[in-house]
Amino acid sequence: MLRLPPFTYLQPRTLGEAVRLLAEQPPGEAMAVAGGTDLYPNMKRRQFEPKYLVGLRRLPELRFLHGDARQGLTIGAGMTLTEVSTHPQVRQGYPALATAAGLVSTPQLRNMGTIGGNLCLDTRCNYYNQTYWWRQAIGFCLKKDGDTCWVAPGSRRCWAVASSDTAPVLLALQAQVTLLGPQGERTLPLAALYRDDGIAYLNKGHAEILTRITVPPAEGLRMAYVKLRRRGAFDFPVLGVAVALRLADDGTCTEARLALGAVASAPLLATEAAALLQGNRLTPEVIEAAAAAAFRPARPLDNTDLTLAYRKKMVRVHVARTLYQLAGLAAPAAL
Amino acid sequence: MAADDYTLIGRPIPARVDGAGKVTGLTRYADDLFPARLLYGKLLRSPYPHARILRIDTCKAAALPGVKAVITGADLPRPFSIMPVNQDEHALAIDKVRYVGEPVAAVAAVDEETAEAALHLIEVAYEPLPPVMSIEEALAQPDNRIHTYNRVGNVHRVVALEFGDVEAGFAEADYIREDTFFFQGNTHLPMEQHAAVAHCTPDGQITLWSATQTPHYVHRALAAVLDIPPSRIRVIATPVGGGFGGKSDPFAHEFCAVKLSMLTGRPVKICLTREEVFYAHRGRHPVLMWIRTGVKRNGAITAMHFKSFIDGGAYSSYGVATTYYTGALQTVTYRVPNYRFEGLRVFTNKPPCGPKRGHGTPQPRYALEVHLDKIAEDLGLDPVQIRRPHLAKPFSMTVNHLRITSCALDECLDAVVKRSEFLQKHRRLPFGKGVGLACSAYLSGAGLPIYWNEMPHSGVTLQLDRSGSVCVFCGAVDIGQGSDSVLAFTVAEELGIDPRDVRLVTADTGITPVDLGSYSSRVTFMAGNAAIVAARQLRERLFAAVAEHWGIPARHLRAAQGRIFAVTDPSRSMPFAEAVQRAEAKFGTLSASGSYTPPPLAGKYKGHGVGPSPAYSYTAAVAQVDVDPDTGWVTVEKVWIAHDIGKALNPYLVEGQIEGSVYMALGEVLMEEQVFRRGVHKFPSMLEYKSPTFLEMPEVETILIESLDPEGPYGAKEAGQGPLLPVIPAVANAVYDAIGVRLDEIPITPEKVLKGLELRAKGQVARLGPRGIPAFAFPPPRCVEVPEEWLVHLPDAKTRRP
Ligand SMILES: Cc1cc2nc3c(=O)[nH]c(=O)nc-3n(C[C@H](O)[C@H](O)[C@H](O)COP(=O)(O)OP(=O)(O)OC[C@H]3O[C@@H](n4cnc5c(N)ncnc54)[C@H](O)[C@@H]3O)c2cc1C
Ligand code: SF4
């Protein structure tokens, strides 16, 4: 069996104590762990070798979910994906979020994995998500232990892929996140949490803890999340399409946001595509134009399942399909 | 005996003897064994695909506190291999490494963490050599040799055989077609990772508990490599959590565990990680194929020429057999009067390939069945018309000297065609939906053992207790296929007792009679026959004792429902246990042995050791698919599969084997691929090596056809491997029916489907697959006479044998 590296597990009683325990150590020496479904496998493969883990699992301050589509939602970062995906207010008022959370990996992992951990999920690359031994055999890469990017040799940056399922949905829903750190609390739009950099993918201090996610009211919004992956379970997305729309009575789109997962090192808002929808009726022409616009900024590289050309093509297909579905139109027969 | 006379045989009984233990967690797999003072072993593996080993320094590792022993190739210098011909492997590499993941050193320590830390302290100096990563590279770089014992370059084995007169056959043909195909390599992916525990006790006795499909061959290999008399070695196969052929070779971790235990005097366990299982491999060979067939206008084959180029990986393993298997069974499904086969296996710097479910036959089966589909279309025949009139006949000989006994392929084909409404659907479904058809055959056990000998292939000893319980001793190993249940049910049937009164001691070379192992679908056929022989001897003795007591002839007695009855006088009956006691009083301690040796089947030419079997199972399948033209996604909606099982001893178990085969086939045709990047396995993990889950599994309609084989136990044949074969080409043919794109290369991934659709939209040839085959001059074929009985097709099963 692959063994975990040795570490000390610290169990704080309060959020404040958790922040203090993290802040006491230099970056990299202490890490927060929630469900551990991302971090522990990574530690086994030596992507991380923290001396201390600060456990968030028992903190009651992270375990709540209130509100509804009318008032908006507040979700504690420690809520499990199972809890989020089965919560009646989420299912009713934020069905795309319930869908996304319910599509993460497998039931067992959703019972352990949290929504906070999902938003902080490490970026992925099939040169990186490998054992220490494997990475040594092929040659270490920029993201850990090495100085070359095997996906884009010559590149100064890492192109590992943002692979969270819930992030694109929460982005499309204009969620905000609240962080608690040694300097106190701050709230920022979710989009501002991410950076398009496979290594420094979060704009967050190492001692800052994500405490809650605030989602604005969503009454009257049409929303959907579509996930592309090879199998109906286990697999991370190789493309995530999240859409939130508001349609006036005459069918004019008054509000539109599209977000893409797994096409870059950060979940991306497809603003150009959204602009093409806004103020227009969702006719097939408008939908196809928006899908084409969404397709353009997507820059997948050859570091996940399926080829990059294929993944790029699928952006257009799946964005169009999602829009047809939300517009209540039948997608045109292919070819 | 009519089928209805059986009480257990033929009944769908869900209670397999190993079921409760497995679902409640009581079953103890190799990794569940924790003898006192256990040490943990780990293997250091090569990070280079091809390199010379200049130096290995183990001093620092040996000095680490908690480390009890460190070994390298020098400690285990004797070579081994499963096949006697090419003994080209060492437990730990000597002088040279030939694939990323090849073991070079091993340590034993007080815990896994220490063992792991010790591996980091072993210093190995390598001189990297250019790696050879494909069939084309292997042939293009004859001077960059992976081995030197083989005659030329990186060619491991060349075979060229001709049966009949192929040239004349082609001259007779109305139509000739050539095609090329590529079948990508893939691996077994059993749930249980390989594990072994070895204990060398102070009296010099060695015991190895191992998750192996072939304890007998491991026993022999251990004796040879360790240079210890086999009489001092005992190999116990633990319950195997899935094998599929991947646990049929002797492995490095087995030799190392034993050696480390010999050095430390303590038990040593080595359990591979999932990643290491990908390096142990022995999975499906990637095979590039070329096929040329001549046919009459009605589809009758006049001649066939088949070439296979096989990527063997770094060692020979079962490769010689694999090479022959890629050419052996084409003739067992359709009548081929003239046949030429040329096969070539090359070495490459990848983990060694070996046997995986269907061993060497799924690749040519895929090629042949898609090729036939194309010929049918060219001739204006439908897929049934080109096959149905030309099927192999029961009790006939093939042109390559394979003896066919029972064969109900016609019934199988008719059944799937009817149930799936194939003819109403084929070429008639809307764009994006399609159906495909294929047939196949497989062995019920290899007719010859792996090493030449004249002893039985399987043996069973039974011992009766005065309580009425029976203990079965048999070398067969249950790898999940249900062989323990077959043994228990067979013995219980013969003695008329409850299977719960049967105890099993299996797969222990120190105690049980030899069974060659769980490979080539041989166990039910061979161990089943051996068990029947042993049980009938015991029954005879019981009847003799009871007959004497009652003063009636023994032939009037029957055993059923835990009693012995007199058929002539229903008032007379005796509990089974009492009969045992009377027999023991009369004969002394009661035990009996039975064994099974296949009839002499080998033809009179070199290379005929591979292919003959006492009986062939037959299968036909129809797959229905949905192809999304925008995404290239292929969804298999349903599979209809009919299997000529001879006799289903327990239909429940047979259906399980068939559904498992369909599942594995769908993984191979749609997603699985063992591929490499810069010399390294691209994704040695269960997450990224894509294999289907339950959610991808379509509905399967299974139809069992019983042809009652004259030599099978109660007429039974195999079910473990054959049903995989037709599913792969059936899906490929269905995809063509759905979208008009030929996928002459598997797996059929969405990218390839889209590419095919783009070609089609541009009006180009809508085909994806290899463009050709390497220019390789095969030696002139060995020409073999058509067997005498070739035309003497025996019309009726019953005239042949009871
Ligand atoms: C086989 C497998 C398949 C998977 N498939 C998917 C998938 O399809 N889609 C998907 O999105 N994910 C997938 N995952 C990843 C993972 O299970 C989920 O993303 C999960 O939500 C992570 O949550 P966690 O609580 O377990 O995070 P952890 O593993 O505990 O933490 C992950 C990271 O987030 C940090 N962190 C956690 N909580 C906080 C917090 N409150 N504040 C600050 N930092 C925090 C940790 O320090 C760590 O760096 C998969 C994982 C596995 C092993
Ligand atoms: S994108 Fe490049 S640097 Fe980043 S993990 Fe992959 S190989 Fe490493």
Side-chain angles (χ1 to χ4, degrees):
Chain A
M1 182 162 62
L2 277 180
R3 310 292 293 184
L4 282 165
F7 62 88
T8 303
Y9 187 87
L10 302 172
Q11 177 61 68
R13 264 152 308 181
T14 64
L15 208 46
E17 191 188 348
V19 170
R20 189 171 51 72
L21 289 171
L22 286 168
E24 272 170 10
Q25 308 296 333
E29 303 264 294
M31 287 180 81
V33 62
T37 61
D38 181 45
L39 187 55
Y40 289 134
N42 279 349
M43 285 170 66
K44 286 188 167 187
R45 297 183 294 241
R46 305 299 187 266
Q47 269 96 20
F48 298 101
E49 293 168 86
K51 289 209 179 96
Y52 297 95
L53 284 186
V54 178
L56 307 181
R57 268 174 70 70
R58 304 255 176 87
L59 296 179
E61 295 140 287
L62 298 177
R63 307 236 342 106
F64 63 89
L65 194 161
H66 35 242
D68 55 29
R70 180 169 306 175
Q71 307 153 33
L73 272 189
T74 320
I75 309 172
M79 294 301 281
T80 66
L81 294 166
T82 301
E83 288 165 339
V84 172
S85 65
T86 57
H87 196 283
Q89 295 305 340
V90 178
R91 293 174 68 97
Q92 249 174 48
Y94 299 86
L97 178 58
T99 304
L103 285 176
V104 172
S105 59
T106 64
Q108 289 89 335
L109 288 162
R110 291 196 293 274
N111 289 340
M112 289 299 289
T114 63
I115 188 148
N118 194 247
L119 291 180
C120 296
L121 181 70
D122 193 9
T123 54
R124 298 183 62 83
C125 167
N126 59 22
Y127 281 97
Y128 168 74
N129 298 102
Q130 303 276 3
T131 62
Y132 181 85
W133 185 86
W134 188 98
R135 290 184 288 121
Q136 185 181 32
I138 204 157
F140 292 116
C141 79
L142 211 55
K143 187 160 157 74
K144 184 75 174 40
D145 305 314
D147 48 22
T148 327
C149 171
W150 295 120
V151 174
S155 161
R156 298 301 316 143
R157 61 161 283 198
C158 162
W159 299 86
V161 179
S163 304
S164 160
D165 276 307
T166 65
V169 175
L170 289 168
L171 218 51
L173 294 174
Q174 293 185 301
Q176 300 211 308
V177 286
T178 302
L179 305 175
L180 180 69
Q183 270 78 48
E185 200 177 79
R186 61 182 180 120
T187 296
L188 60 161
L190 178 62
L193 181 66
Y194 295 113
R195 291 172 54 178
D196 192 12
D197 177 331
I199 296 170
Y201 61 97
L202 292 180
N203 285 312
K204 171 180 108 44
H206 93 278
E208 278 187 310
I209 291 173
L210 171 58
T211 56
R212 63 177 181 273
I213 301 133
T214 317
V215 198
E219 253 191 333
L221 274 188
R222 299 180 182 215
M223 60 177 84
Y225 177 69
V226 169
K227 173 175 183 172
L228 175 64
R229 58 170 164 184
R230 209 76 92 85
R231 305 173 290 185
F234 291 104
D235 290 339
F236 282 89
V238 288
L239 170 67
V241 175
V243 182
L245 296 176
R246 196 181 299 280
L247 300 184
D249 289 345
D250 69 348
T252 311
C253 175
T254 56
E255 200 184 325
R257 278 177 310 277
L258 267 93
L260 302 177
V263 294
S265 296
L268 293 186
L269 270 172
T271 43
E272 203 188 322
L276 290 172
L277 298 173
Q278 205 123 9
N280 283 315
R281 291 233 190 120
L282 298 190
T283 59
E285 295 70 39
V286 168
I287 288 176
E288 295 298 337
F295 160 87
R296 247 170 274 130
R299 286 186 314 275
L301 286 165
D302 189 14
N303 57 357
T304 68
D305 184 31
L306 299 170
T307 62
L308 69 129
Y310 180 78
R311 284 158 57 215
K312 177 134 171 120
K313 262 183 228 159
M314 287 307 106
V315 174
R316 187 178 196 150
V317 174
H318 287 289
V319 168
R321 284 190 176 179
T322 314
L323 291 172
Y324 281 116
Q325 179 203 326
L326 287 178
L329 297 174
L335 295 173
Chain B
M1 209 181 334
D4 293 356
D5 289 350
Y6 302 128
T7 44
L8 296 163
I9 295 302
R11 310 252 174 271
I13 300 171
R16 6 180 339 154
V17 298
D18 55 337
K22 281 179 176 159
V23 298
T24 57
L26 277 175
T27 303
R28 306 230 299 157
Y29 295 95
D31 193 31
D32 296 325
L33 303 178
F34 292 94
R37 304 179 69 237
L38 181 64
L39 294 176
Y40 295 82
K42 278 200 185 289
L43 303 175
L44 179 71
R45 293 174 181 271
S46 162
Y48 291 99
H50 196 192
R52 249 186 282 284
I53 300 173
L54 303 176
R55 229 169 323 102
I56 306 184
D57 185 345
T58 60
C59 294
K60 284 187 199 153
L64 185 72
V67 172
K68 300 296 176 190
V70 186
I71 55 173
T72 67
D75 297 291
L76 290 163
R78 297 162 68 106
F80 71 93
S81 181
I82 183 75
M83 310 281 290
V85 280
N86 302 134
Q87 300 277 306
D88 61 359
E89 289 189 70
H90 287 91
L92 296 168
I94 295 177
D95 300 335
K96 202 174 167 187
V97 287
R98 297 180 173 87
Y99 63 95
V100 170
E102 178 164 8
V104 290
V107 299
V110 291
D111 54 35
E112 275 191 271
E113 284 81 356
T114 308
E116 175 78 43
L119 294 186
H120 289 282
L121 297 176
I122 298 175
E123 291 164 10
V124 189
Y126 293 101
E127 179 195 332
L129 300 167
V132 174
M133 296 306 292
S134 66
I135 297 166
E136 292 76 11
E137 283 178 23
L139 291 174
Q141 304 176 26
D143 299 329
N144 179 17
R145 297 191 72 174
I146 296 172
H147 291 277
T148 47
Y149 74 85
N150 51 318
R151 276 195 220 128
V152 277
N154 290 309
V155 173
H156 169 215
R157 200 29 105 94
V158 181
V159 175
L161 293 167
E162 178 164 336
F163 307 91
D165 185 341
V166 170
E167 222 165 280
F170 279 120
E172 259 175 62
D174 295 326
Y175 179 68
I176 296 173
R177 187 181 167 105
E178 282 178 27
D179 283 296
T180 52
F181 297 91
F182 180 65
F183 194 117
Q184 182 57 281
N186 54 55
T187 201
H188 317 82
L189 215 70
M191 291 304 289
E192 181 205 26
Q193 295 156 199
H194 303 48
V197 178
H199 197 183
C200 174
T201 42
D203 54 6
Q205 298 282 344
I206 290 168
T207 307
L208 178 76
W209 291 265
S210 183
T212 176
Q213 298 178 233
T214 52
H216 174 62
Y217 296 139
V218 171
H219 185 197
R220 288 169 51 85
L222 283 179
V225 169
L226 299 164
D227 197 14
I228 288 175
S231 52
R232 309 270 164 75
I233 302 174
R234 177 176 173 197
V235 177
I236 302 172
T238 48
V240 176
F244 313 110
K247 293 170 182 162
S248 311
D249 284 64
F251 285 101
H253 67 278
E254 294 172 320
F255 298 108
C256 291
V258 173
K259 186 71 190 178
L260 290 166
S261 180
M262 287 167 66
L263 292 173
T264 57
R266 291 171 65 168
V268 176
K269 180 195 285 185
I270 302 182
C271 178
L272 302 191
T273 63
R274 176 56 62 185
E275 181 181 3
E276 289 178 289
V277 175
F278 281 92
Y279 303 144
H281 191 46
R282 320 285 157 157
R284 185 84 71 223
H285 287 73
V287 185
L288 177 62
M289 294 164 285
W290 174 90
I291 176 170
R292 179 167 196 251
T293 304
V295 288
K296 287 290 192 192
R297 238 173 289 283
N298 67 0
I301 295 169
T302 60
M304 183 184 289
H305 185 178
F306 197 95
K307 296 188 193 194
S308 53
F309 297 81
I310 306 165
D311 181 346
Y315 290 97
S316 62
S317 181
Y318 283 80
V320 172
T322 316
T323 308
Y324 283 103
Y325 273 133
T326 63
L329 301 191
Q330 279 82 327
T331 56
V332 181
T333 41
Y334 309 107
R335 266 172 299 163
V336 181
N338 303 290
Y339 180 55
R340 181 189 288 186
F341 166 61
E342 290 165 320
L344 165 82
R345 186 179 189 265
V346 298
F347 290 123
T348 53
N349 291 117
K350 297 189 274 192
C353 297
K356 180 183 172 189
R357 209 174 201 167
H359 191 186
T361 72
Q363 300 97 325
R365 182 55 57 187
Y366 157 67
L368 174 57
E369 297 295 317
V370 174
H371 176 68
L372 279 183
D373 224 55
K374 297 184 186 192
I375 294 176
E377 190 178 12
D378 296 346
L379 295 178
L381 301 173
D382 69 43
V384 183
Q385 285 167 332
I386 195 163
R387 291 175 171 86
R388 186 66 176 83
H390 313 300
L391 299 175
K393 292 275 183 283
F395 302 98
S396 62
M397 287 291 276
T398 70
V399 72
N400 55 338
H401 299 235
L402 300 177
R403 184 200 72 167
I404 297 172
T405 54
S406 58
C407 165
L409 182 53
D410 51 352
E411 283 179 60
C412 294
L413 182 55
D414 293 346
V416 288
V417 167
K418 181 154 176 275
R419 296 268 195 112
S420 67
E421 301 181 322
F422 179 83
L423 291 171
Q424 293 87 305
K425 291 174 177 170
H426 187 250
R427 301 286 183 267
R428 294 203 171 85
L429 294 174
F431 186 76
K433 300 257 182 204
V435 287
L437 170 78
C439 298
S440 68
Y442 200 67
L443 326 137
S444 302
L448 283 93
I450 278 174
Y451 66 98
W452 170 244
N453 73 83
E454 291 182 328
M455 291 175 280
H457 290 211
S458 193
V460 167
T461 295
L462 301 178
Q463 195 174 294
L464 276 179
D465 182 71
R466 293 173 191 180
S467 66
S469 81
V470 186
C471 192
V472 180
F473 298 86
C474 177
V477 45
D478 198 324
I479 60 169
Q481 85 279 41
S483 65
D484 281 358
S485 302
V486 165
L487 285 172
F489 282 61
T490 302
V491 169
E493 177 72 46
E494 291 298 324
L495 298 178
I497 58 177
D498 188 323
R500 284 173 297 184
D501 293 332
V502 179
R503 271 189 198 84
L504 295 159
V505 177
T506 55
D508 181 335
T509 66
I511 295 180
T512 58
V514 166
D515 174 275
L516 293 179
S518 282
Y519 66 93
S520 85
S521 281
R522 48 175 299 292
V523 180
T524 292
F525 200 95
M526 302 197 185
N529 271 326
I532 290 174
V533 172
R536 287 185 184 167
Q537 285 175 37
L538 278 183
R539 196 176 61 195
E540 238 171 69
R541 269 181 261 167
L542 296 182
F543 284 181
V546 175
E548 184 180 277
H549 178 66
W550 283 339
I552 59 171
R555 71 188 137 80
H556 290 172
L557 299 179
R558 293 285 178 276
Q561 289 167 346
R563 303 182 76 83
I564 309 295
F565 294 88
V567 276
T568 43
D569 177 1
S571 70
R572 279 227 156 129
S573 91
M574 177 190 293
F576 182 75
E578 189 187 330
V580 171
Q581 289 162 20
R582 291 196 181 279
E584 191 175 335
K586 182 172 163 63
F587 295 108
T589 299
L590 293 170
S591 68
S593 293
S595 55
Y596 176 81
T597 312
L601 292 166
K604 291 166 200 66
Y605 63 92
K606 184 163 180 271
H608 193 249
V610 176
S613 173
Y616 298 93
S617 75
Y618 286 91
T619 321
V622 168
Q624 181 167 324
V625 304
D626 171 89
V627 183
D628 182 331
D630 286 337
T631 63
W633 220 260
V634 178
T635 308
V636 178
E637 295 180 327
K638 185 163 178 181
V639 173
W640 293 262
I641 185 161
H643 183 66
D644 169 10
I645 177 66
K647 166 82 187 167
L649 301 186
N650 180 345
Y652 216 83
L653 293 185
V654 175
E655 281 167 20
Q657 286 300 302
I658 293 174
E659 286 165 14
S661 296
V662 171
Y663 164 80
M664 190 166 261
L666 293 177
E668 297 194 28
V669 65
L670 294 178
M671 44 178 100
E672 296 189 32
E673 39 188 341
Q674 171 108 334
V675 286
F676 297 79
R677 188 162 59 181
R678 301 182 39 224
V680 188
H681 193 296
K682 202 168 167 192
F683 25 57
S685 78
M686 274 196 142
L687 179 60
E688 292 302 335
Y689 173 90
K690 302 299 180 193
S691 180
T693 71
F694 276 6
L695 298 174
E696 281 68 53
M697 191 63 187
E699 184 188 345
V700 177
E701 190 171 324
T702 301
I703 304 140
L704 300 181
I705 307 282
E706 299 195 324
S707 59
L708 295 181
D709 188 79
E711 294 176 29
Y714 309 105
K717 300 192 283 191
E718 75 89 37
Q721 308 192 67
L724 175 140
L725 298 161
V727 178
I728 293 168
V731 169
N733 287 338
V735 168
Y736 177 71
D737 189 42
I739 55 168
V741 174
R742 278 293 176 195
L743 274 308
D744 292 345
E745 172 188 315
I746 67 159
I748 300 173
T749 59
E751 294 106 329
K752 291 184 195 166
V753 172
L754 273 196
K755 219 175 276 169
L757 284 167
E758 279 162 21
L759 292 173
R760 187 172 172 273
K762 287 187 210 146
Q764 295 170 1
V765 181
R767 166 186 183 265
L768 269 91
R771 281 166 203 275
I773 48 170
F776 179 83
F778 283 92
R782 185 186 305 275
C783 293
V784 183
E785 295 281 293
V786 168
E788 270 169 40
E789 292 131 285
W790 165 234
L791 294 169
V792 196
H793 153 63
L794 296 165
D796 187 5
K798 279 152 222 132
T799 61
R800 184 82 171 189
R801 250 170 187 258

